[in-house]
Each structure stands twice: as structure tokens, then as C-alpha cells.
Amino acid sequence: MDIKEQAIKKLANSMRIYVETHMDFQRLKTIDIEEAVENLDRAFEAKLEAFHSLYDVTKDDLDYFSYGDTAAIILMRNAIHHRDHLLFQSWNHNMALNEGYKKHLGAEFLLAGYDVLDSTARMRYFYKLEDFYLRIDESLQSPYIESRMGSKNRKKLLSQLGSELNFSDIKQKAESERYPIKQVYVNVMPIFISAVCRAFTALKEKGVEFKGFDARAYEAPFINELKVDFAKVVYEPLRIT
């Protein structure tokens, strides 16, 4: 039980550090945009690593691959952890570093996300929708396919992301409005929130205690308060000018 409590504490601590880094982003970007972007990216990746650590020690308490949100977080973590490709670079990384936005002047992007507590998520962190498909959709014959996962599990996860997280609807909307798939980004913060809510709730029901300031601070919101509505996808077109 102490190991599980330690993993919760680590995840909660990484979540607090991300919030603090996010709050400092606007100030720091006026001084050093590269440091601001890299700090936020590393802080988000630290959350993914901490979530995976929790998964490692609590997989007997929750079947993480039975749910689209928790499975998606593990997919992202594994892709970034092994990093044998150029997928899962954040919107900030692609647009803000080295004036990357200049490569897309005049182009319109489609940003997709979900409501948290019936309102637009205040924190946003975007990855390309295409990157998820390039990891698990065998029909694309991607060189970046998730090789550590069997074909059956890849197909199962593809179906989960399509139906439970409504990736299929996002992709369909993009195609119907003629957005190139490379210009469609998904806000993964609500997915992370939903996954943590699911994990914390399951562990609480198993009698695992939330110890330490950060763990106690996040316990109530992620068990009793926060809720993500994946049925309602929120779209925002954004043209680079």
C-alpha cells in the first residue's frame, strides 16, 4: 500500500509542478520563448511519466486498457518515453520554436477539445490527431507504429479512441471541412484529467490513502468534482496570420 500511496503522491506533485509552469509560461515567453516552451513540455511529459508509474504499481486495481482515457495516456507516455520518432511534439513546439508558425502562414488549423464541468477546459495542451493514428492504425502502414503492442491490442485501442474519445468524429469533421489531417490538433488535457479521475476513484475505492499535501489537495477534485464530457467535442478553427 505504501508503494501505491507513493505513486499517487508523485503524480499529484507532478500535476502541481505543471500548473506552476503553466502559470509562468506567459511571463517567461517574453524573455525566452524556447525556455518557456521546453519547460512546459517537460512538465507535461513528467505528468505522463508519473501516471505510468502509478499504472505500474496499480494495474491489479484498475484495468487501464479497458478505458479510452487511461489507455490514451499510456500510449502517449510510451511514445514520448521511447522517442524513436518525431511524433507527439506539442503545438507550442511546432509553432513557437524557431518561428515555426512561419511555415504555416495562411493555413487554418482545427483545434478540438472537450468540456470539463460543462465549460471549456482552461488549460490546453495540444498534440496532432494524426500522431495517435500513426502509432496504432495499421492501415496507414506507418513506420512509427507501436511495435511493443500486438495487432489485436492496437486495433482495440484504435476503436476505443474512435468511440470513447470521439476521435472518429473529429477526423470525420476535419475531412468534411477539408482540413488536412496534419492541421488537426487535440487538446489532451481533458483526457489526462479524465484518466486521473478514473484512477484516483478506483484506488480510493480500494482503500488506498492519499498522503502528502499535493495528494490530499487533488483527492477531492479528481474524485468528486471534475468530469469530462467526451460526447461533446468543442471545435476552434485557427488561422495562422
Side-chain angles (χ1 to χ4, degrees):
M1 195 67 74
D2 287 344
I3 295 174
K4 297 174 184 179
E5 292 165 356
Q6 177 178 276
I8 290 174
K9 184 177 180 180
K10 175 183 176 181
L11 176 56
N13 179 253
S14 72
M15 291 160 62
R16 174 181 57 78
I17 291 173
Y18 177 84
V19 170
E20 292 172 351
T21 306
H22 180 272
M23 292 173 63
D24 192 47
F25 182 83
Q26 294 299 325
R27 179 197 66 82
L28 186 56
K29 78 174 187 178
T30 62
I31 302 171
D32 189 330
I33 185 62
E34 181 176 359
E35 182 178 352
V37 170
E38 295 289 1
N39 283 359
L40 195 62
D41 282 355
R42 298 297 84 75
F44 185 78
E45 292 167 12
K47 293 202 305 179
L48 297 181
E49 285 292 338
F51 187 89
H52 195 276
S53 294
L54 183 66
Y55 154 74
D56 280 337
V57 299
T58 63
K59 60 184 69 175
D60 291 335
D61 299 299
L62 173 66
D63 185 353
Y64 286 78
F65 288 98
S66 287
Y67 306 96
D69 50 10
T70 48
I73 296 302
I74 294 172
L75 172 69
M76 284 187 275
R77 178 269 175 188
N78 287 343
I80 293 169
H81 178 81
H82 297 293
R83 190 60 88 185
D84 53 355
H85 51 78
L86 295 176
L87 305 179
F88 292 101
Q89 304 283 3
S90 71
W91 167 272
N92 288 336
H93 182 279
N94 290 334
M95 297 297 164
L97 293 188
N98 302 313
E99 298 184 318
Y101 70 93
K102 290 186 176 180
K103 301 176 184 176
H104 306 284
L105 289 175
E108 184 171 287
F109 288 77
L110 183 64
L111 308 182
Y114 315 92
D115 280 355
V116 179
L117 285 177
D118 297 323
S119 63
T120 303
R122 286 181 293 178
M123 284 193 180
R124 309 200 298 174
Y125 191 91
F126 290 95
Y127 283 139
K128 286 182 182 178
L129 176 67
E130 180 185 39
D131 291 356
F132 291 91
Y133 284 94
L134 289 174
R135 287 300 279 179
I136 57 176
D137 188 346
E138 297 175 5
S139 70
L140 299 178
Q141 298 183 321
S142 167
Y144 309 125
I145 201 78
E146 174 54 274
S147 60
R148 297 169 182 82
M149 183 181 291
S151 178
K152 181 179 179 181
N153 289 330
R154 283 195 295 267
K155 291 177 180 177
K156 175 187 175 185
L157 182 52
L158 180 64
S159 176
Q160 288 175 308
L161 299 188
S163 59
E164 295 179 33
L165 305 187
N166 273 318
F167 278 14
S168 294
D169 287 354
I170 297 172
K171 188 177 180 183
Q172 184 177 21
K173 180 177 177 63
E175 291 172 349
S176 68
E177 298 187 8
R178 299 186 178 182
Y179 285 96
I181 190 66
K182 294 182 181 296
Q183 291 171 211
V184 183
Y185 280 74
V186 177
N187 181 15
V188 298
M189 281 299 297
I191 301 174
F192 183 87
I193 289 170
S194 180
V196 174
C197 288
R198 188 181 303 281
F200 278 10
T201 300
L203 296 174
K204 183 70 174 181
E205 291 174 352
K206 293 284 185 176
V208 181
E209 295 185 29
F210 288 64
K211 295 183 177 180
F213 179 84
D214 291 335
R216 289 194 297 270
Y218 285 110
E219 178 182 0
F222 281 84
I223 293 177
N224 302 319
E225 300 171 15
L226 293 173
K227 184 177 181 181
V228 179
D229 185 2
F230 290 114
K232 182 180 179 182
V233 182
V234 182
Y235 297 101
E236 177 187 351
L238 177 63
R239 185 172 296 277
I240 306 298
T241 59

